[in-house]
């Protein structure tokens, strides 16, 4: 049975919240978030692996073996969390969980990511000015994620959390 995107986000948020709480308790937050990011990157980069983890015909225990095989040198907390997610039949949500863990860590550290989309690459001075303005407006340290979109004729589009400012 497949689930829709909203349900997937809600389910992955529950996992991410539980994992993050355990991480904080063990003081291993950055390590576990990094390890989740690595496995998520491997899943996203390998189309066959991603398809296998999403395939309902493949048994959950096989998916757990596959994912655990990728995590041989991971911290015990990460390995246990990944196994629990895979055992529950949610291995395909690992990339989404990794993204949410990253967002939670950034929020914990007082950081926020802003996606800036422009027609061409922004100069270093413009990037610095944008980061400073957004930091002043949010009261948080802002990490810029820069994207170029030839469809944008001029100006910038800023996505900051759930806020979207379109000045194109």
């Amino acid at each position: 049975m497949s689930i829709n995107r909203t349900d997937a986000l809600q389910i992955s948020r529950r996992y991410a919240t539980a994992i993050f709480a355990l991480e904080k308790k063990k003081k291993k937050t950055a390590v576990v978030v990094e390890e989740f990011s690595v496995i998520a990157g491997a899943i996203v980069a390998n189309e066959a692996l991603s398809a296998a983890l999403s395939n309902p015909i493949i048994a959950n225990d096989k998916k757990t073996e596959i994912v655990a095989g990728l995590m041989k040198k991971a911290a015990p907390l990460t390995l246990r969390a990944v196994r629990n997610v895979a055992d529950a039949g949610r291995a395909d949500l690992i990339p989404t969980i990794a993204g949410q863990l990253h967002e939670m860590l950034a929020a914990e550290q007082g950081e926020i990511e802003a996606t800036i989309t422009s027609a061409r690459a922004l100069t270093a001075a413009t990037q610095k000015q944008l980061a400073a303005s957004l930091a002043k407006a949010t009261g948080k340290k802002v990490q810029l994620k820069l994207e170029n979109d030839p469809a944008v004729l001029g100006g910038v589009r800023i996505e900051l959390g759930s806020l979207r400012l379109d000045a194109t």
Side-chain angles (χ1 to χ4, degrees):
M1 178 173 88
S2 65
I3 56 174
N4 64 38
R5 177 132 172 87
T6 303
D7 289 343
L9 286 171
Q10 289 175 343
I11 293 166
S12 61
R13 186 171 297 120
R14 288 183 196 132
Y15 279 107
T17 302
I19 293 165
F20 195 78
L22 285 173
E23 293 168 5
K24 274 180 72 173
K25 191 182 254 187
K26 302 276 186 185
K27 300 191 187 319
K28 299 272 186 193
T29 309
V31 173
V32 175
V33 170
E34 179 60 30
E35 290 174 345
F36 254 89
S37 295
V38 169
I39 192 170
I43 292 169
V44 170
N46 188 329
E47 224 174 280
L49 176 60
S50 182
L53 294 177
S54 299
N55 189 340
I57 296 172
I58 298 174
N60 291 341
D61 59 337
K62 293 292 183 192
K63 292 178 185 180
T64 302
E65 287 177 30
I66 293 168
V67 175
L70 296 172
M71 304 288 297
K72 289 183 181 180
K73 295 185 179 182
L77 181 60
T78 307
L79 188 56
R80 191 172 75 226
V82 168
R83 282 178 185 255
N84 285 339
V85 170
D87 283 342
R90 305 295 188 189
D92 57 323
L93 295 180
I94 291 173
T96 307
I97 294 168
Q100 290 176 341
L101 285 170
H102 180 72
E103 288 175 10
M104 289 175 174
L105 178 61
E108 178 86 11
Q109 296 174 339
E111 297 178 0
I112 192 165
E113 182 178 86
T115 303
I116 311 296
T117 306
S118 61
R120 57 182 177 274
L122 300 175
T123 65
T126 305
Q127 291 176 29
K128 189 175 180 180
Q129 183 181 13
L130 266 173
S133 296
L134 292 171
K136 184 177 179 185
T138 62
K140 297 180 179 185
K141 182 178 178 187
V142 177
Q143 298 294 326
L144 296 181
K145 178 180 172 187
L146 303 171
E147 296 178 354
N148 295 329
D149 182 0
V152 174
L153 298 178
V156 295
R157 181 173 41 243
I158 301 170
E159 295 177 34
L160 188 66
S162 62
L163 176 68
R164 184 173 183 166
L165 173 66
D166 195 343
T168 57

